Amino acid sequence: VQLQASGGGLVQAGGSLRLSCAASGRTFSRYIMGWFRQAPGKERECVAAINWSGDNTYYSDSVKGRFTISRDNAKNTVYLQMNSLKPEDTGIYYCAGRIAARITTTNYDYWGQGTLVTVSS
Protein backbone atom coordinates (compact mmCIF):
# COMPACT_ATOMS: atom_id res chain seq x y z
CA VAL A 1 0.00 0.00 0.00
CA GLN A 2 1.21 3.55 -0.75
CA LEU A 3 0.34 6.40 1.60
CA GLN A 4 0.08 10.13 0.89
CA ALA A 5 -0.30 12.49 3.85
CA SER A 6 -1.59 16.04 3.54
CA GLY A 7 -3.15 18.84 5.54
CA GLY A 8 -0.21 20.20 7.49
CA GLY A 9 0.49 23.90 7.83
CA LEU A 10 1.08 26.81 10.15
CA VAL A 11 -1.50 27.46 12.85
CA GLN A 12 -1.64 29.51 16.02
CA ALA A 13 -1.80 27.88 19.42
CA GLY A 14 -5.38 26.90 20.21
CA GLY A 15 -6.22 26.37 16.57
CA SER A 16 -7.15 23.24 14.63
CA LEU A 17 -5.93 21.26 11.66
CA ARG A 18 -7.11 18.08 10.00
CA LEU A 19 -4.58 15.77 8.46
CA SER A 20 -5.53 13.26 5.79
CA CYS A 21 -3.75 10.17 4.59
CA ALA A 22 -4.87 8.67 1.31
CA ALA A 23 -3.94 5.07 0.64
CA SER A 24 -3.69 3.20 -2.60
CA GLY A 25 -4.60 -0.45 -2.97
CA ARG A 26 -7.68 -2.51 -2.38
CA THR A 27 -6.66 -3.95 0.98
CA PHE A 28 -6.66 -0.68 2.96
CA SER A 29 -9.47 -1.89 5.20
CA ARG A 30 -7.23 -4.69 6.50
CA TYR A 31 -4.61 -2.31 7.84
CA ILE A 32 -4.07 -0.89 11.29
CA MET A 33 -3.33 2.78 10.65
CA GLY A 34 -1.30 5.12 12.79
CA TRP A 35 -0.22 8.73 12.93
CA PHE A 36 3.31 9.42 14.11
CA ARG A 37 4.98 12.67 15.03
CA GLN A 38 8.63 13.61 14.83
CA ALA A 39 9.27 16.77 16.77
CA PRO A 40 12.55 18.68 16.40
CA GLY A 41 15.28 16.92 18.36
CA LYS A 42 12.98 14.13 19.51
CA GLU A 43 12.33 10.57 18.51
CA ARG A 44 9.33 9.74 16.38
CA GLU A 45 6.33 8.74 18.47
CA CYS A 46 2.96 7.26 17.72
CA VAL A 47 0.30 9.79 18.67
CA ALA A 48 -2.77 7.89 17.46
CA ALA A 49 -3.75 4.57 15.91
CA ILE A 50 -6.97 2.95 14.71
CA ASN A 51 -8.00 -0.60 13.95
CA TRP A 52 -9.39 -1.80 10.64
CA SER A 53 -13.05 -1.20 11.52
CA GLY A 54 -12.53 2.11 13.29
CA ASP A 55 -14.05 1.04 16.57
CA ASN A 56 -10.83 0.80 18.52
CA THR A 57 -8.38 3.65 18.89
CA TYR A 58 -5.19 4.55 20.72
CA TYR A 59 -3.92 7.99 21.73
CA SER A 60 -0.71 9.02 23.40
CA ASP A 61 -1.11 10.88 26.66
CA SER A 62 0.20 14.04 25.04
CA VAL A 63 -2.73 14.29 22.60
CA LYS A 64 -5.55 12.48 24.38
CA GLY A 65 -8.69 14.59 24.48
CA ARG A 66 -7.44 16.94 21.74
CA PHE A 67 -6.82 14.71 18.72
CA THR A 68 -9.22 12.32 17.03
CA ILE A 69 -8.26 9.62 14.56
CA SER A 70 -10.83 8.24 12.16
CA ARG A 71 -10.96 6.37 8.88
CA ASP A 72 -13.20 5.99 5.87
CA ASN A 73 -12.49 2.63 4.28
CA ALA A 74 -14.70 3.46 1.30
CA LYS A 75 -12.36 6.36 0.51
CA ASN A 76 -9.16 4.58 1.58
CA THR A 77 -8.41 7.50 3.86
CA VAL A 78 -7.46 7.98 7.49
CA TYR A 79 -7.77 11.33 9.24
CA LEU A 80 -6.30 13.05 12.26
CA GLN A 81 -8.38 15.92 13.61
CA MET A 82 -6.17 18.06 15.82
CA ASN A 83 -7.80 20.60 18.12
CA SER A 84 -6.47 22.91 20.82
CA LEU A 85 -3.05 22.74 19.24
CA LYS A 86 -0.01 23.61 21.30
CA PRO A 87 3.48 24.68 20.23
CA GLU A 88 4.77 21.30 21.42
CA ASP A 89 2.59 19.65 18.76
CA THR A 90 4.95 21.05 16.15
CA GLY A 91 6.60 18.40 14.03
CA ILE A 92 6.43 16.27 10.94
CA TYR A 93 3.40 14.00 10.99
CA TYR A 94 3.55 10.67 9.23
CA CYS A 95 0.81 8.19 8.55
CA ALA A 96 1.70 4.54 8.58
CA GLY A 97 0.04 1.18 8.14
CA ARG A 98 0.50 -2.44 8.97
CA ILE A 99 -1.51 -5.63 9.14
CA ALA A 100 -1.96 -6.79 12.70
CA ALA A 101 -4.49 -8.54 14.89
CA ARG A 102 -4.83 -5.53 17.19
CA ILE A 103 -3.72 -1.92 17.50
CA THR A 104 -0.02 -1.48 17.98
CA THR A 105 2.34 1.50 18.07
CA THR A 106 5.36 -0.29 16.62
CA ASN A 107 6.65 -2.17 13.59
CA TYR A 108 4.65 -0.39 10.93
CA ASP A 109 5.51 -1.52 7.42
CA TYR A 110 4.22 1.27 5.18
CA TRP A 111 4.90 4.98 5.61
CA GLY A 112 3.72 8.17 3.98
CA GLN A 113 6.07 11.03 3.19
CA GLY A 114 5.12 13.23 6.15
CA THR A 115 3.42 16.58 6.44
CA LEU A 116 4.76 19.48 8.51
CA VAL A 117 2.67 20.99 11.29
CA THR A 118 3.91 24.18 12.89
CA VAL A 119 2.09 25.65 15.88
CA SER A 120 3.06 29.19 16.81
CA SER A 121 2.68 30.58 20.31
Coordinates of all heavy atoms in Angstrom, one line a residue, residues 2-103:
Q2 N 0.5 2.3 -0.7 CA 1.2 3.5 -0.8 C 0.4 4.6 0.0 O -0.9 4.6 -0.2 CB 1.5 4.0 -2.2 CG 2.5 3.1 -2.9 CD 2.8 3.6 -4.3 OE1 1.9 4.1 -5.0 NE2 4.1 3.5 -4.7
L3 N 1.0 5.4 0.8 CA 0.3 6.4 1.6 C 0.8 7.8 1.2 O 2.0 8.1 1.0 CB 0.6 6.1 3.1 CG 0.3 4.7 3.6 CD1 0.8 4.5 5.0 CD2 -1.2 4.4 3.5
Q4 N -0.2 8.7 1.2 CA 0.1 10.1 0.9 C -0.6 11.0 2.0 O -1.8 11.1 2.0 CB -0.5 10.5 -0.5 CG -0.2 11.9 -0.9 CD 1.2 12.1 -1.4 OE1 1.8 11.3 -1.9 NE2 1.7 13.4 -1.2
A5 N 0.2 11.6 2.8 CA -0.3 12.5 3.9 C -0.4 13.9 3.4 O 0.4 14.4 2.6 CB 0.6 12.4 5.1
S6 N -1.4 14.6 3.9 CA -1.6 16.0 3.5 C -2.3 16.7 4.7 O -2.8 16.1 5.6 CB -2.4 16.2 2.2 OG -3.7 15.6 2.4
G7 N -2.4 18.1 4.6 CA -3.1 18.8 5.5 C -2.3 19.6 6.6 O -2.9 20.4 7.4
G8 N -1.0 19.5 6.5 CA -0.2 20.2 7.5 C -0.2 21.7 7.1 O -0.6 22.1 6.1
G9 N 0.4 22.5 8.1 CA 0.5 23.9 7.8 C 0.9 24.6 9.1 O 1.3 24.0 10.1
L10 N 0.8 25.9 9.0 CA 1.1 26.8 10.1 C -0.2 27.3 10.8 O -1.1 27.7 10.1 CB 1.9 28.0 9.7 CG 2.1 29.1 10.7 CD1 3.0 28.6 11.8 CD2 2.8 30.3 10.0
V11 N -0.3 27.1 12.1 CA -1.5 27.5 12.9 C -1.1 28.1 14.2 O 0.0 27.7 14.7 CB -2.4 26.2 13.0 CG1 -1.7 25.2 13.9 CG2 -3.8 26.6 13.6
Q12 N -1.9 28.9 14.7 CA -1.6 29.5 16.0 C -2.1 28.6 17.1 O -3.0 27.7 16.9 CB -2.4 30.8 16.2 CG -1.8 32.0 15.4 CD -2.5 33.3 15.7 OE1 -3.6 33.4 16.1 NE2 -1.7 34.4 15.6
A13 N -1.4 28.7 18.3 CA -1.8 27.9 19.4 C -3.3 28.0 19.7 O -3.8 29.1 19.6 CB -1.0 28.3 20.6
G14 N -3.9 26.9 20.0 CA -5.4 26.9 20.2 C -6.2 26.6 19.0 O -7.4 26.3 19.0
G15 N -5.5 26.6 17.8 CA -6.2 26.4 16.6 C -6.4 24.9 16.3 O -6.0 24.0 17.1
S16 N -6.9 24.6 15.1 CA -7.1 23.2 14.6 C -6.6 23.0 13.2 O -6.5 23.9 12.4 CB -8.7 23.0 14.6 OG -9.2 23.1 15.9
L17 N -6.3 21.7 13.0 CA -5.9 21.3 11.7 C -6.5 19.8 11.5 O -6.6 19.1 12.5 CB -4.4 21.2 11.5 CG -3.6 22.5 11.2 CD1 -2.2 22.2 11.1 CD2 -4.1 23.1 9.8
R18 N -6.7 19.5 10.3 CA -7.1 18.1 10.0 C -6.1 17.5 9.0 O -6.0 18.0 7.9 CB -8.5 17.9 9.5 CG -9.0 16.5 9.4 CD -10.4 16.3 9.0 NE -10.6 16.4 7.6 CZ -11.6 15.8 7.0 NH1 -12.5 15.0 7.6 NH2 -11.8 15.9 5.6
L19 N -5.5 16.5 9.4 CA -4.6 15.8 8.5 C -5.3 14.6 7.8 O -6.2 14.0 8.4 CB -3.4 15.2 9.2 CG -2.6 16.2 10.0 CD1 -1.4 15.5 10.7 CD2 -2.1 17.4 9.2
S20 N -5.0 14.4 6.5 CA -5.5 13.3 5.8 C -4.4 12.4 5.3 O -3.3 12.9 5.0 CB -6.3 13.8 4.6 OG -7.4 14.6 5.0
C21 N -4.7 11.1 5.1 CA -3.8 10.2 4.6 C -4.5 9.3 3.6 O -5.4 8.5 4.0 CB -3.1 9.3 5.7 SG -2.0 8.1 5.1
A22 N -4.2 9.5 2.3 CA -4.9 8.7 1.3 C -4.0 7.5 1.0 O -2.8 7.6 0.8 CB -5.1 9.5 0.1
A23 N -4.6 6.3 0.9 CA -3.9 5.1 0.6 C -4.3 4.5 -0.7 O -5.5 4.6 -1.1 CB -4.2 4.1 1.7
S24 N -3.4 3.9 -1.4 CA -3.7 3.2 -2.6 C -3.9 1.7 -2.3 O -3.5 1.3 -1.2 CB -2.5 3.4 -3.6 OG -1.4 2.7 -3.1
G25 N -4.5 1.0 -3.2 CA -4.6 -0.4 -3.0 C -6.0 -0.8 -2.5 O -6.7 0.0 -1.8
R26 N -6.3 -2.1 -2.7 CA -7.7 -2.5 -2.4 C -7.8 -3.2 -1.0 O -8.8 -3.6 -0.6 CB -8.1 -3.5 -3.5 CG -8.3 -2.9 -4.8 CD -8.7 -3.9 -5.9 NE -7.5 -4.8 -6.1 CZ -7.5 -5.8 -7.0 NH1 -8.7 -6.1 -7.6 NH2 -6.5 -6.5 -7.2
T27 N -6.6 -3.3 -0.3 CA -6.7 -3.9 1.0 C -6.5 -3.0 2.1 O -6.2 -3.4 3.3 CB -5.5 -5.0 1.0 OG1 -4.3 -4.3 0.8 CG2 -5.7 -6.0 0.0
F28 N -6.8 -1.7 1.9 CA -6.7 -0.7 3.0 C -7.4 -1.1 4.2 O -7.0 -0.9 5.3 CB -7.1 0.7 2.4 CG -7.2 1.7 3.5 CD1 -6.0 2.3 3.9 CD2 -8.4 2.2 4.0 CE1 -6.1 3.3 4.9 CE2 -8.5 3.2 5.0 CZ -7.3 3.7 5.4
S29 N -8.6 -1.6 4.0 CA -9.5 -1.9 5.2 C -8.9 -3.0 6.1 O -9.3 -3.1 7.2 CB -10.9 -2.3 4.8 OG -10.8 -3.5 4.0
R30 N -7.9 -3.7 5.7 CA -7.2 -4.7 6.5 C -6.2 -4.1 7.4 O -5.7 -4.8 8.3 CB -6.6 -5.8 5.6 CG -7.6 -6.5 4.7 CD -6.8 -7.4 3.8 NE -5.9 -8.4 4.5 CZ -5.0 -9.1 3.9 NH1 -4.8 -8.9 2.6 NH2 -4.2 -9.9 4.6
Y31 N -5.8 -2.9 7.2 CA -4.6 -2.3 7.8 C -5.0 -1.6 9.1 O -5.9 -0.8 9.2 CB -3.9 -1.3 6.9 CG -3.1 -2.1 5.9 CD1 -3.7 -2.6 4.7 CD2 -1.7 -2.2 6.0 CE1 -3.0 -3.2 3.8 CE2 -1.0 -2.9 5.0 CZ -1.6 -3.4 3.9 OH -0.9 -4.1 3.0
I32 N -4.1 -1.8 10.2 CA -4.1 -0.9 11.3 C -3.4 0.4 10.8 O -2.4 0.3 10.0 CB -3.2 -1.5 12.4 CG1 -3.7 -2.9 12.9 CG2 -3.1 -0.5 13.6 CD1 -5.1 -2.8 13.5
M33 N -3.9 1.5 11.1 CA -3.3 2.8 10.7 C -2.9 3.6 11.9 O -3.6 3.7 12.9 CB -4.3 3.6 9.8 CG -4.7 2.9 8.5 SD -3.4 2.5 7.4 CE -2.8 4.2 7.0
G34 N -1.8 4.3 11.7 CA -1.3 5.1 12.8 C -0.8 6.5 12.3 O -0.4 6.6 11.1
W35 N -0.8 7.4 13.2 CA -0.2 8.7 12.9 C 1.0 8.9 13.9 O 0.8 8.7 15.1 CB -1.2 9.9 13.1 CG -2.2 10.1 12.0 CD1 -3.5 9.6 12.0 CD2 -1.9 10.8 10.8 NE1 -4.0 10.0 10.8 CE2 -3.1 10.7 10.0 CE3 -0.8 11.4 10.3 CZ2 -3.2 11.3 8.8 CZ3 -1.0 12.0 9.0 CH2 -2.2 11.9 8.3
F36 N 2.1 9.2 13.3 CA 3.3 9.4 14.1 C 3.8 10.9 14.0 O 3.6 11.5 13.0 CB 4.4 8.5 13.6 CG 4.1 7.0 13.9 CD1 3.2 6.3 13.2 CD2 4.9 6.4 14.8 CE1 2.9 5.0 13.4 CE2 4.6 5.0 15.1 CZ 3.7 4.3 14.4
R37 N 4.5 11.3 15.0 CA 5.0 12.7 15.0 C 6.5 12.6 15.3 O 6.9 12.0 16.3 CB 4.3 13.5 16.1 CG 4.8 14.9 16.3 CD 3.9 15.7 17.2 NE 4.0 15.2 18.6 CZ 3.1 15.5 19.5 NH1 2.0 16.2 19.2 NH2 3.2 15.1 20.7
Q38 N 7.2 13.4 14.6 CA 8.6 13.6 14.8 C 8.9 15.1 15.1 O 8.8 15.9 14.2 CB 9.5 13.2 13.7 CG 11.0 13.4 13.9 CD 11.8 12.2 13.7 OE1 11.6 11.4 12.7 NE2 12.8 11.9 14.5
A39 N 9.0 15.4 16.4 CA 9.3 16.8 16.8 C 10.8 17.1 16.7 O 11.6 16.1 16.7 CB 8.8 17.0 18.2
P40 N 11.1 18.3 16.5 CA 12.5 18.7 16.4 C 13.3 18.2 17.6 O 13.0 18.4 18.7 CB 12.5 20.2 16.4 CG 11.2 20.5 15.8 CD 10.2 19.5 16.4
G41 N 14.4 17.4 17.3 CA 15.3 16.9 18.4 C 14.7 15.8 19.2 O 15.3 15.4 20.2
K42 N 13.6 15.2 18.8 CA 13.0 14.1 19.5 C 12.8 12.9 18.6 O 12.8 13.0 17.4 CB 11.6 14.6 20.1 CG 11.8 15.7 21.1 CD 10.4 15.9 21.8 CE 10.6 17.0 22.9 NZ 9.2 17.2 23.6
E43 N 12.6 11.8 19.3 CA 12.3 10.6 18.5 C 10.9 10.6 18.0 O 10.0 11.2 18.6 CB 12.5 9.3 19.4 CG 14.0 9.1 19.8 CD 14.2 7.8 20.5 OE1 13.2 7.1 20.7 OE2 15.4 7.4 20.8
R44 N 10.7 9.9 16.9 CA 9.3 9.7 16.4 C 8.5 8.9 17.3 O 8.9 7.9 17.9 CB 9.4 9.1 15.0 CG 8.1 9.0 14.3 CD 8.3 8.7 12.8 NE 9.0 7.4 12.6 CZ 9.4 7.0 11.4 NH1 9.2 7.7 10.4 NH2 10.0 5.9 11.4
E45 N 7.2 9.4 17.6 CA 6.3 8.7 18.5 C 5.0 8.6 17.8 O 4.6 9.4 17.0 CB 6.1 9.6 19.8 CG 5.5 10.9 19.5 CD 5.0 11.6 20.8 OE1 4.7 10.9 21.8 OE2 4.9 12.8 20.8
C46 N 4.3 7.5 18.2 CA 3.0 7.3 17.7 C 2.0 8.1 18.6 O 1.9 7.9 19.8 CB 2.6 5.8 17.8 SG 0.9 5.4 17.2
V47 N 1.2 9.0 17.9 CA 0.3 9.8 18.7 C -1.1 9.2 18.6 O -1.9 9.5 19.5 CB 0.3 11.3 18.2 CG1 1.7 11.9 18.5 CG2 0.0 11.4 16.7
A48 N -1.4 8.4 17.6 CA -2.8 7.9 17.5 C -2.7 6.7 16.5 O -1.9 6.6 15.6 CB -3.8 8.9 16.9
A49 N -3.6 5.7 16.8 CA -3.8 4.6 15.9 C -5.2 4.1 15.9 O -6.0 4.4 16.8 CB -2.8 3.5 16.4
I50 N -5.6 3.4 14.9 CA -7.0 2.9 14.7 C -7.0 1.6 14.1 O -6.2 1.3 13.2 CB -7.8 4.0 13.9 CG1 -9.3 3.7 13.9 CG2 -7.2 4.1 12.5 CD1 -10.1 4.9 13.4
N51 N -7.9 0.7 14.5 CA -8.0 -0.6 14.0 C -8.7 -0.6 12.6 O -9.2 0.5 12.2 CB -8.6 -1.6 14.9 CG -10.1 -1.3 15.1 OD1 -10.6 -0.2 14.9 ND2 -10.8 -2.3 15.6
W52 N -8.9 -1.7 12.0 CA -9.4 -1.8 10.6 C -10.8 -1.3 10.5 O -11.2 -0.7 9.6 CB -9.3 -3.2 10.1 CG -10.2 -4.2 10.8 CD1 -9.9 -4.9 11.9 CD2 -11.5 -4.5 10.4 NE1 -11.0 -5.7 12.3 CE2 -12.0 -5.5 11.4 CE3 -12.4 -4.1 9.4 CZ2 -13.3 -6.0 11.3 CZ3 -13.6 -4.7 9.3 CH2 -14.1 -5.6 10.3
S53 N -11.6 -1.6 11.6 CA -13.1 -1.2 11.5 C -13.3 0.2 12.1 O -14.4 0.7 11.9 CB -13.9 -2.2 12.3 OG -13.5 -2.2 13.6
G54 N -12.3 0.8 12.7 CA -12.5 2.1 13.3 C -13.1 2.2 14.7 O -13.4 3.3 15.2
D55 N -13.4 1.0 15.3 CA -14.1 1.0 16.6 C -13.1 0.9 17.7 O -13.6 0.7 18.9 CB -15.1 0.0 16.6 CG -14.6 -1.4 16.4 OD1 -13.4 -1.6 16.2 OD2 -15.4 -2.4 16.5
N56 N -11.8 0.9 17.5 CA -10.8 0.8 18.5 C -9.7 1.8 18.2 O -9.2 1.7 17.1 CB -10.3 -0.6 18.7 CG -9.5 -0.8 20.0 OD1 -9.5 0.0 20.8 ND2 -8.8 -1.9 20.1
T57 N -9.4 2.6 19.1 CA -8.4 3.7 18.9 C -7.4 3.7 20.0 O -7.7 3.3 21.2 CB -9.0 5.0 18.7 OG1 -9.8 5.4 19.8 CG2 -9.9 5.1 17.4
Y58 N -6.2 4.3 19.7 CA -5.2 4.5 20.7 C -4.8 6.0 20.6 O -4.7 6.5 19.5 CB -4.0 3.6 20.5 CG -2.7 4.2 21.1 CD1 -2.4 3.9 22.4 CD2 -1.9 5.0 20.4 CE1 -1.3 4.4 23.0 CE2 -0.7 5.5 21.0 CZ -0.4 5.2 22.3 OH 0.7 5.7 22.8
Y59 N -4.5 6.6 21.7 CA -3.9 8.0 21.7 C -2.8 8.1 22.8 O -2.9 7.5 23.8 CB -5.0 9.0 22.1 CG -6.1 9.1 21.1 CD1 -7.3 8.4 21.3 CD2 -6.0 9.8 19.9 CE1 -8.3 8.5 20.4 CE2 -7.0 9.9 19.0 CZ -8.2 9.2 19.2 OH -9.2 9.3 18.3
S60 N -1.7 8.8 22.4 CA -0.7 9.0 23.4 C -1.2 10.0 24.4 O -2.2 10.8 24.2 CB 0.5 9.6 22.7 OG 0.3 10.9 22.2
D61 N -0.7 10.0 25.6 CA -1.1 10.9 26.7 C -1.0 12.3 26.3 O -1.8 13.2 26.7 CB -0.3 10.6 27.9 CG -0.6 9.3 28.6 OD1 -1.7 8.7 28.3 OD2 0.2 8.8 29.4
S62 N 0.0 12.6 25.4 CA 0.2 14.0 25.0 C -0.9 14.6 24.2 O -1.0 15.9 24.1 CB 1.6 14.2 24.3 OG 1.6 13.4 23.1
V63 N -1.7 13.8 23.5 CA -2.7 14.3 22.6 C -4.1 13.9 23.0 O -5.1 14.3 22.4 CB -2.5 13.9 21.1 CG1 -1.0 14.2 20.7 CG2 -2.7 12.4 20.9
K64 N -4.2 13.0 24.0 CA -5.5 12.5 24.4 C -6.5 13.6 24.8 O -6.1 14.5 25.5 CB -5.4 11.5 25.6 CG -6.5 10.6 25.8 CD -6.2 9.5 26.9 CE -5.0 8.6 26.4 NZ -4.7 7.6 27.4
G65 N -7.7 13.6 24.2 CA -8.7 14.6 24.5 C -8.6 15.8 23.5 O -9.6 16.6 23.5
R66 N -7.6 15.8 22.7 CA -7.4 16.9 21.7 C -7.4 16.4 20.3 O -7.9 17.2 19.4 CB -6.2 17.7 22.0 CG -6.1 18.3 23.4 CD -4.8 19.2 23.5 NE -3.6 18.5 23.4 CZ -2.7 18.7 22.5 NH1 -2.8 19.7 21.6 NH2 -1.6 18.0 22.4
F67 N -6.9 15.3 20.1 CA -6.8 14.7 18.7 C -7.8 13.6 18.6 O -8.1 12.8 19.5 CB -5.4 14.2 18.5 CG -4.3 15.2 18.3 CD1 -4.5 16.5 18.7 CD2 -3.1 14.8 17.8 CE1 -3.5 17.4 18.5 CE2 -2.0 15.7 17.7 CZ -2.3 17.0 18.1
T68 N -8.3 13.4 17.3 CA -9.2 12.3 17.0 C -8.8 11.7 15.7 O -8.7 12.4 14.7 CB -10.7 12.8 16.9 OG1 -11.1 13.4 18.1 CG2 -11.6 11.6 16.6
I69 N -8.6 10.4 15.8 CA -8.3 9.6 14.6 C -9.5 8.9 14.1 O -10.3 8.5 14.9 CB -7.1 8.6 14.8 CG1 -6.7 7.9 13.5 CG2 -7.6 7.5 15.8 CD1 -5.4 7.1 13.7
S70 N -9.7 8.9 12.8 CA -10.8 8.2 12.2 C -10.4 7.7 10.8 O -9.4 8.1 10.3 CB -12.0 9.2 12.0 OG -11.7 10.3 11.2
R71 N -11.3 6.9 10.2 CA -11.0 6.4 8.9 C -12.2 6.2 8.1 O -13.3 6.0 8.7 CB -10.2 5.1 9.0 CG -11.0 3.9 9.6 CD -10.1 2.7 9.9 NE -9.4 2.2 8.6 CZ -8.4 1.4 8.6 NH1 -7.8 1.1 9.8 NH2 -7.9 0.9 7.5
D72 N -12.1 6.3 6.8 CA -13.2 6.0 5.9 C -12.7 5.0 4.9 O -11.9 5.3 3.9 CB -13.6 7.3 5.1 CG -14.8 7.1 4.3 OD1 -15.1 6.0 3.8 OD2 -15.5 8.1 4.0
N73 N -13.0 3.7 5.1 CA -12.5 2.6 4.3 C -13.0 2.7 2.8 O -12.3 2.3 1.9 CB -12.8 1.3 4.9 CG -12.0 1.0 6.1 OD1 -10.9 1.6 6.4 ND2 -12.5 0.1 7.0
A74 N -14.2 3.3 2.6 CA -14.7 3.5 1.3 C -13.8 4.4 0.5 O -13.8 4.3 -0.7 CB -16.1 3.9 1.3
K75 N -13.2 5.4 1.2 CA -12.4 6.4 0.5 C -10.9 6.1 0.7 O -10.0 6.8 0.3 CB -12.7 7.8 1.1 CG -14.1 8.3 0.8 CD -14.3 9.7 1.3 CE -15.7 10.2 1.0 NZ -15.9 11.6 1.5
N76 N -10.6 4.9 1.3 CA -9.2 4.6 1.6 C -8.4 5.7 2.2 O -7.3 6.0 1.9 CB -8.5 4.2 0.3 CG -8.8 2.8 -0.2 OD1 -9.6 2.1 0.4 ND2 -8.0 2.3 -1.1
T77 N -9.0 6.3 3.2 CA -8.4 7.5 3.9 C -8.5 7.4 5.4 O -9.5 7.0 5.9 CB -9.1 8.8 3.4 OG1 -9.0 8.9 1.9 CG2 -8.4 10.0 4.0
V78 N -7.5 7.8 6.0 CA -7.5 8.0 7.5 C -7.2 9.5 7.8 O -6.5 10.1 7.1 CB -6.4 7.1 8.1 CG1 -5.0 7.4 7.7 CG2 -6.5 7.1 9.7
Y79 N -7.8 9.9 8.9 CA -7.8 11.3 9.2 C -7.2 11.5 10.7 O -7.3 10.6 11.5 CB -9.2 12.0 9.2 CG -9.9 11.8 7.9 CD1 -10.8 10.8 7.7 CD2 -9.6 12.7 6.8 CE1 -11.4 10.6 6.5 CE2 -10.3 12.5 5.6 CZ -11.2 11.5 5.4 OH -11.8 11.3 4.2
L80 N -6.7 12.7 10.9 CA -6.3 13.1 12.3 C -6.8 14.5 12.5 O -6.2 15.4 11.9 CB -4.8 13.0 12.5 CG -4.4 13.2 13.9 CD1 -4.8 12.1 14.9 CD2 -2.8 13.4 14.0
Q81 N -7.9 14.6 13.2 CA -8.4 15.9 13.6 C -7.6 16.4 14.8 O -7.6 15.7 15.9 CB -9.9 15.8 13.9 CG -10.5 17.2 14.3 CD -10.5 18.2 13.3 OE1 -10.8 17.9 12.1 NE2 -10.1 19.4 13.6
M82 N -7.0 17.5 14.7 CA -6.2 18.1 15.8 C -6.8 19.4 16.3 O -6.8 20.4 15.5 CB -4.7 18.3 15.3 CG -4.1 17.0 14.7 SD -2.4 17.2 14.3 CE -2.5 18.5 13.1
N83 N -7.2 19.4 17.5 CA -7.8 20.6 18.1 C -7.0 21.1 19.3 O -6.1 20.3 19.8 CB -9.2 20.3 18.6 CG -10.2 19.9 17.5 OD1 -10.0 20.3 16.4 ND2 -11.1 19.1 17.8
S84 N -7.2 22.3 19.7 CA -6.5 22.9 20.8 C -5.0 22.7 20.7 O -4.3 22.3 21.6 CB -7.0 22.3 22.1 OG -8.4 22.5 22.3
L85 N -4.5 23.0 19.5 CA -3.1 22.7 19.2 C -2.1 23.6 20.1 O -2.5 24.7 20.5 CB -2.8 23.0 17.8 CG -3.2 21.9 16.8 CD1 -3.3 22.4 15.4 CD2 -2.3 20.7 16.9
K86 N -1.0 23.0 20.5 CA 0.0 23.6 21.3 C 1.3 23.7 20.5 O 1.6 22.9 19.6 CB 0.2 22.8 22.6 CG -1.0 22.5 23.4 CD -0.7 21.6 24.5 CE -2.0 21.3 25.3 NZ -1.7 20.3 26.5
P87 N 2.2 24.6 20.9 CA 3.5 24.7 20.2 C 4.2 23.4 20.3 O 4.9 23.0 19.3 CB 4.2 25.8 21.0 CG 3.1 26.7 21.5 CD 2.0 25.7 21.8
E88 N 4.1 22.6 21.3 CA 4.8 21.3 21.4 C 4.2 20.2 20.5 O 4.7 19.1 20.4 CB 4.8 20.8 22.9 CG 3.4 20.7 23.5 CD 3.2 22.0 24.4 OE1 3.5 23.1 23.9 OE2 2.6 21.8 25.5
D89 N 3.1 20.5 19.8 CA 2.6 19.6 18.8 C 3.3 19.8 17.4 O 3.1 19.1 16.5 CB 1.1 19.9 18.5 CG 0.3 19.5 19.7 OD1 0.5 18.4 20.3 OD2 -0.7 20.3 20.1
T90 N 4.2 20.8 17.4 CA 5.0 21.0 16.1 C 5.8 19.8 15.8 O 6.4 19.2 16.7 CB 5.9 22.3 16.3 OG1 5.0 23.4 16.5 CG2 6.8 22.5 15.2
G91 N 5.8 19.5 14.5 CA 6.6 18.4 14.0 C 6.2 17.9 12.7 O 5.2 18.5 12.1
I92 N 6.8 16.9 12.2 CA 6.4 16.3 10.9 C 5.5 15.1 11.3 O 5.9 14.3 12.2 CB 7.6 15.8 10.1 CG1 8.5 17.0 9.8 CG2 7.2 15.1 8.8 CD1 9.8 16.6 9.1
Y93 N 4.4 15.0 10.7 CA 3.4 14.0 11.0 C 3.4 13.0 9.8 O 3.3 13.4 8.7 CB 2.0 14.6 11.2 CG 1.9 15.3 12.5 CD1 2.5 16.5 12.8 CD2 1.1 14.7 13.5 CE1 2.4 17.1 14.1 CE2 1.0 15.3 14.8 CZ 1.6 16.5 15.0 OH 1.5 17.1 16.3
Y94 N 3.5 11.7 10.2 CA 3.6 10.7 9.2 C 2.4 9.7 9.5 O 2.0 9.4 10.6 CB 4.8 9.8 9.4 CG 6.1 10.6 9.2 CD1 6.8 11.2 10.2 CD2 6.7 10.6 7.9 CE1 8.0 11.9 10.0 CE2 7.9 11.3 7.7 CZ 8.5 11.9 8.8 OH 9.7 12.6 8.6
C95 N 1.8 9.3 8.4 CA 0.8 8.2 8.5 C 1.5 6.9 8.2 O 2.5 6.9 7.4 CB -0.4 8.4 7.7 SG -0.1 8.5 5.9
A96 N 1.1 5.8 8.8 CA 1.7 4.5 8.6 C 0.7 3.4 8.7 O -0.4 3.6 9.3 CB 2.8 4.3 9.6
G97 N 1.0 2.3 8.1 CA 0.0 1.2 8.1 C 0.7 -0.2 8.3 O 1.9 -0.3 7.9
R98 N 0.0 -1.1 8.9 CA 0.5 -2.4 9.0 C -0.7 -3.4 9.2 O -1.7 -2.9 9.6 CB 1.5 -2.6 10.1 CG 0.9 -2.4 11.5 CD 1.8 -2.9 12.6 NE 1.8 -4.3 12.6 CZ 2.6 -5.1 13.5 NH1 3.3 -4.4 14.4 NH2 2.5 -6.4 13.4
I99 N -0.5 -4.6 8.9 CA -1.5 -5.6 9.1 C -1.2 -6.2 10.5 O -0.1 -6.7 10.7 CB -1.5 -6.7 8.0 CG1 -2.1 -6.1 6.7 CG2 -2.5 -7.9 8.4 CD1 -2.1 -7.0 5.6
A100 N -2.2 -6.2 11.4 CA -2.0 -6.8 12.7 C -3.3 -7.2 13.3 O -4.3 -6.7 12.8 CB -1.3 -5.8 13.6
A101 N -3.3 -8.1 14.3 CA -4.5 -8.5 14.9 C -5.1 -7.5 15.8 O -6.4 -7.5 16.0 CB -4.2 -9.8 15.7
R102 N -4.3 -6.6 16.3 CA -4.8 -5.5 17.2 C -4.0 -4.3 17.0 O -2.9 -4.3 16.5 CB -4.8 -6.0 18.6 CG -3.5 -6.4 19.2 CD -3.6 -6.8 20.6 NE -4.4 -8.0 20.8 CZ -3.9 -9.2 20.7 NH1 -2.7 -9.4 20.5 NH2 -4.7 -10.3 20.9
I103 N -4.5 -3.2 17.6 CA -3.7 -1.9 17.5 C -2.3 -2.1 18.1 O -2.2 -2.7 19.2 CB -4.5 -0.8 18.2 CG1 -5.6 -0.3 17.3 CG2 -3.6 0.3 18.6 CD1 -6.4 0.8 18.0

